[in-house]
Amino acid sequence: VARYFVECFEGWKVTKTILSFGTPYKGSGNALGFLCNGFAWKIGPVQAFDGTDALRSFDSIYQLLPTYPFVSLQTGDLKWVSEVDLPNLDRKRAQAAHAFHEEIRIAQARNALLDEYARSGPQVRPVVGTEQPTIQSAEWDGTKLSLLTSREGDDQAGDGTVPRVSALPFELGQSSATYVPNTHSALQSDHAAVGHMRGVLTEVDIDLKTYRAVVGASFALYLEDAYRSADRVHIEVEVSDYVQKVDGVIERLDEPAESTPMTLRPSGERYRGDVTLPPGTYRVKLSADGFHPVDDVFLVTGE
């Protein structure tokens, strides 16, 4: 719906971003299975619900059919769904659904030629589910349609409902995707996916030009993962610009405790400082005027 609005009704003029979670831009093999083989819920051996007739009445199920060669014949050829006579499938409705997707594709290609669209048109930011067994193709032997979790012997997986290749719009490459190893129904609540969404939604607040105009001063932190409590914790940084000192604070993470201040001063090509700490888990935070702060965690053992 969003894509049709954006590309076919000039919605791109008022839309900045389309953020999608496992959206089947190129369809889903599940829809083909529902149409041809039926859709019934069972609890053990008991059939709880049969939604076959309802599903077969929806144009939207046809619009969810795969939009690429998907059905393997006995000859080994892969055919479009709309090219094959399959049980319980209305080919005219399948062809109409294919035309619906073609309308979006053609409109997007036409819009992409416009300077305004290229300059300020919407970005599509897909979250793609991976590593779940997902229907990749189907096999038709003339009497039975079998759904397969591979395509010509290659299992590219997906989110359990949408193959990973289908969750990418036809005009975008794989570099546009954020991959999350989770199931279709869990993508919108997955921590990584939600973090990605927050990042996308807050991009408007960041002016990248202010970061490109001047290269900011920075620290390069040298810190071991672990220290013995009998030894001093030694911390070093290299700085991109000279400062008189680097201020630091060490916080205890595994139990309540007062923070330990420390100062790193020039020593050769680096700034160095050390401190004695009891066993525990710590975070060091370093800062100086004009520098981007840096922090890291480390462990102090009793051995």
Side-chain angles (χ1 to χ4, degrees):
V1 172
R3 288 275 283 179
Y4 197 84
F5 165 71
V6 165
E7 304 297 352
C8 300
F9 286 104
E10 296 189 335
W12 59 268
K13 293 182 177 179
V14 294
T15 304
K16 178 179 176 58
T17 303
I18 296 177
L19 178 63
S20 60
F21 295 85
T23 295
Y25 293 102
K26 301 186 185 80
S28 169
N30 290 27
L32 181 63
F34 296 156
L35 287 170
C36 294
N37 299 333
F39 175 69
W41 286 346
K42 290 185 177 181
I43 303 175
V46 180
Q47 181 170 299
F49 173 77
D50 189 338
T52 301
D53 290 341
L55 281 176
R56 287 174 178 167
S57 72
F58 299 150
D59 285 340
S60 57
I61 295 297
Y62 278 86
Q63 291 168 352
L64 282 170
L65 289 171
T67 62
Y68 50 93
F70 192 83
V71 181
S72 175
L73 306 181
Q74 289 179 303
T75 59
D77 297 330
L78 277 171
K79 295 291 186 180
W80 301 79
V81 172
S82 57
E83 293 180 316
V84 186
D85 287 319
L86 297 172
N88 303 307
L89 185 79
D90 186 329
R91 283 186 65 182
K92 288 185 177 180
R93 295 178 73 186
Q95 290 164 356
H98 184 75
F100 168 79
H101 285 278
E102 278 294 285
E103 186 179 357
I104 298 174
R105 184 189 65 78
I106 293 170
Q108 194 282 327
R110 181 179 62 246
N111 293 336
L113 299 176
L114 301 175
D115 291 340
E116 184 183 355
Y117 184 95
R119 183 172 57 253
S120 58
Q123 296 184 47
V124 182
R125 307 290 289 273
V127 174
V128 181
T130 61
E131 301 183 17
Q132 315 304 317
T134 307
I135 296 170
Q136 307 285 324
S137 64
E139 188 175 73
W140 172 243
D141 63 5
T143 57
K144 179 182 178 183
L145 181 75
S146 302
L147 303 175
L148 309 176
T149 55
S150 64
R151 177 179 170 84
E152 298 182 310
D154 184 20
D155 181 6
Q156 298 178 346
D159 62 19
T161 299
V162 179
R164 60 183 290 174
V165 66
S166 181
L168 289 169
F170 44 78
E171 76 275 13
L172 294 185
Q174 297 183 69
S175 61
S176 67
T178 295
Y179 294 102
V180 177
N182 213 333
T183 61
H184 184 72
S185 61
L187 285 177
Q188 78 284 349
S189 57
D190 184 279
H191 290 304
V194 172
H196 168 73
M197 178 183 69
R198 286 198 301 267
V200 170
L201 294 178
T202 55
E203 283 177 345
V204 68
D205 301 324
I206 300 174
D207 184 2
L208 293 178
K209 293 179 182 178
T210 62
Y211 293 89
R212 293 172 182 151
V214 178
V215 177
S218 61
F219 298 118
L221 174 60
Y222 296 84
L223 179 71
E224 300 292 336
D225 292 331
Y227 299 85
R228 296 195 317 165
S229 59
D231 302 326
R232 295 180 71 79
V233 175
H234 189 68
I235 300 173
E236 299 183 5
V237 297
E238 288 183 355
V239 297
S240 57
D241 293 328
Y242 174 80
V243 290
Q244 289 186 336
K245 62 185 177 67
V246 175
D247 296 316
V249 62
I250 297 178
E251 301 174 345
R252 186 76 181 260
L253 300 180
D254 56 339
E255 64 179 47
E258 297 236 353
S259 298
T260 302
M262 68 178 306
T263 301
L264 281 64
R265 299 191 182 278
S267 177
E269 296 181 352
R270 295 181 180 177
Y271 289 66
R272 294 177 169 88
D274 51 42
V275 64
T276 300
L277 297 169
T281 305
Y282 297 87
R283 181 189 305 276
V284 59
K285 298 180 177 180
L286 302 174
S287 62
D289 289 342
F291 283 74
H292 186 79
V294 66
D295 65 273
D296 203 355
V297 296
F298 63 93
L299 178 69
V300 176
T301 69
E303 299 179 357

